[in-house]
Amino acid sequence: MAGLSLRCGDCGALLKSVEEAQEHAELTSHSNFAESTEAVLNLVCNSCGKPCRSKTESDLHTKRTGHTEFVDKTSEAAKPISLEAPKPFASAEPKEGVEAGESSQPEEMVVPEVDKNLLGELEAMGFPTARATRALHYSGNGSLEAAINWVVDHENDPDIDEMPMVPGNTKVEASKPSLTPEEMKIKAQELRERARKKKEEEEKRMEREKEKERIRAGKELLEAKRIEEEFERKRILAMRKAEKEEEKRAREKIRQKLEEDKAERRRKLGLPPEEPAAVKPPTPVVEEKKSSLPIRPATKAERMRHCLRSLKQNHKDDDAKVKRAFQTLLTYVGNVVKNPNEEKFRKIRLNNQSFQERVGSLTGGIEFLEVCGFEKIEGGEFMFLPRDKVDMVVLNTAGSELNSAIVNPFFGVL
């Protein structure tokens, strides 16, 4: 099939005639042309009749005018291209003394001349010298953007990093800038502005990374502090538990001593000894908490009285505060007795300000609730009485002890 156009081997452009190829070569210094069976498009706008040589031109025309209807007349205008005119890339006429038809000497191939400033900028951006030279040469040696676009379009070419060569006798003039000095200044200002914005974006990105690192370090510090506080809380609870056990043992010794004194007094008075069933169990009762047997209410009552005595003795100078604490505890116990299935009456927030003022900050208040069956949960934030551990006998005993402490003016004095 006859050739319908000339294709530039350097940039891929299709040209209608030899004259167009010659103009293209003068503008771009491209010299690699070949015949192509692909015709140059002839898309005619239905609205204004403007012909467009490519799909890109038709898209640009649509954006500028809004016209979207085109007629493809490529087949009507397609004619075999005439190659009679001399090709723009053909070598100069034979010199005098060289007969027509006689083969000339092989031409010397040299590296094309390109804009040194643009070449330096491309090399500063990290492009190899050969790739930068090839990009400037084949993009027309006009601007930095055109060279970069050419590299992006041809980065997969096998010879992308080979130095381009042109005939030595073809004097490649230094490419004339396609922009005026004022436009060059504006362009340079735009490039500097882009570089500045890129630097600012990089600084912002680094700042974001630093902020993320600061947040992560802060979270780790808070977590370490929380673990340390939790450990300290557990240590204090363990100390309190040991103190309570020591107090229990001391009370048991006192109770045993009282029992012995009582038996001695009965003996001196000539009274018969108490029946064994009426005698309170000795030391093993203290260890009942460790066994699976339930704790007798009498032992619970003693612990409750001890908590209430401690509360009154530690705050004996403020009777109103002590009485308010007793009444608050009586309210908590009474609510559970009346509504054992309601969770809101069986759960107390320890950091509640009202609770702290009335009970939590007073010695013996929280211990009294623990004797009633309340347990600390969620890291010590709440006290909770599970439904299956609601013991009405224990709660009624607690109510009786609180009533006695409220109405007895001599409670805790001795």
Side-chain angles (χ1 to χ4, degrees), residues 311-312 315-316 318-327:
L311 193 152
K312 186 165 184 178
H315 305 281
K316 57 186 178 181
D318 194 345
D319 292 335
K321 179 182 289 188
V322 173
K323 187 174 182 180
R324 185 177 61 180
F326 289 169
Q327 291 173 344

Side-chain angles (χ1 to χ4, degrees), residues 16 39 42 70 93 99-100 122 125 136 145 147 169 196 198 203 208 218 277 284 328 349 351 366 379 383 388 392:
K16 281 186 176 182
N42 185 21
F70 294 87
E93 296 181 358
E99 296 181 358
L122 288 172
M125 295 172 67
L136 288 171
E145 287 184 345
N169 60 354
R196 185 186 63 79
K198 185 176 181 181
E203 290 176 351
R208 287 195 297 269
T328 302
R349 183 185 292 274
N351 60 3
I366 293 179
M383 292 199 72
D388 57 349
M392 290 299 178

